[in-house]
Amino acid sequence: TLAATAMLAGAKTLTDIVQFGRRRRKLCKAMGFTHKKSPCVSTFHYLFKVLDVGLFESTLQKWLLAQHREKLLQQPHLHMDGKTLRGSRHGVVPGVHLLAAYSDTLGTALRELPVDAKTNEHKAALELLRLLPLKGLLVSGDAIFAQREVAEEVIQGQGDYLFSVKDNQPSLKQALQDAFDLPFSPGGESGAPS
């Protein structure tokens, strides 16, 4: 809890986390620390070394959804986007690329997954969507997600989707343009004008 709070406050290193705790004794006491000093760098090092990151993220996600599920459903929108972490690329070693499902309503990513260098974002999106409760939500994203499998995954989760379409999918783009070019009446009847 102390490490997560420190990171939310801008701590980027183990030393930052330790200094955050040492400067906030009352906060540490409220968190249950009984010693005068908060944990040292070595303690955090060994904690993070054995920490199951997947389980930790899953627990945080469950807590976030339990606390804010009603708020999320008031403006039911999730946006998927992928980014390469700044500073993670070193020479020929590719950068760490993550795909996140972001909630504007909550102002946070509900879940993120690493995108393997041998695949792409739309394949990672299939896995990400299986981890989220999609019922009643609108999932949006850029053109890379305008794939049949991604749309089917959202629909199977009882959600809706809104993806942009670009020139790199000419047949899909033309089919959409043709569908919107059909004349229709306000009564809902479509067809050619008489």
Side-chain angles (χ1 to χ4, degrees), residues 22-138:
R22 301 259 162 110
R23 291 181 181 141
R24 290 162 182 85
R25 289 186 181 161
K26 288 182 183 177
L27 176 64
C28 287
K29 189 175 180 179
M31 289 181 181
F33 290 99
T34 56
H35 292 74
K36 263 188 167 182
K37 288 185 177 181
S38 61
C40 65
V41 171
S42 297
T43 302
F44 282 108
H45 167 77
Y46 291 116
L47 168 70
F48 290 139
K49 193 173 178 181
V50 297
L51 183 71
D52 183 340
V53 175
L55 178 62
F56 182 70
E57 284 186 353
S58 175
T59 303
L60 280 178
Q61 179 200 15
K62 287 176 187 171
W63 176 84
L64 184 67
L65 288 174
Q67 300 298 313
H68 301 289
R69 181 73 179 156
E70 294 302 318
K71 188 175 180 183
L72 181 61
L73 291 175
Q74 289 171 3
Q75 292 180 329
H77 178 229
L78 290 179
H79 182 76
M80 289 191 303
D81 197 14
K83 298 288 180 210
T84 300
L85 297 180
R86 190 169 116 190
S88 65
R89 186 174 311 185
H90 298 289
V92 295
V93 177
V96 176
H97 194 78
L98 297 176
L99 176 66
Y102 183 81
S103 167
D104 289 331
T105 308
L106 301 179
T108 188
L110 291 180
R111 190 74 190 231
E112 61 186 16
L113 291 177
V115 178
D116 186 13
K118 296 176 184 174
T119 186
N120 58 29
E121 284 183 16
H122 106 263
K123 294 291 185 190
L126 295 172
E127 186 180 342
L128 180 65
L129 291 170
R130 291 182 192 118
L131 300 172
L132 295 167
L134 300 175
K135 187 175 182 177
L137 297 180
L138 173 67

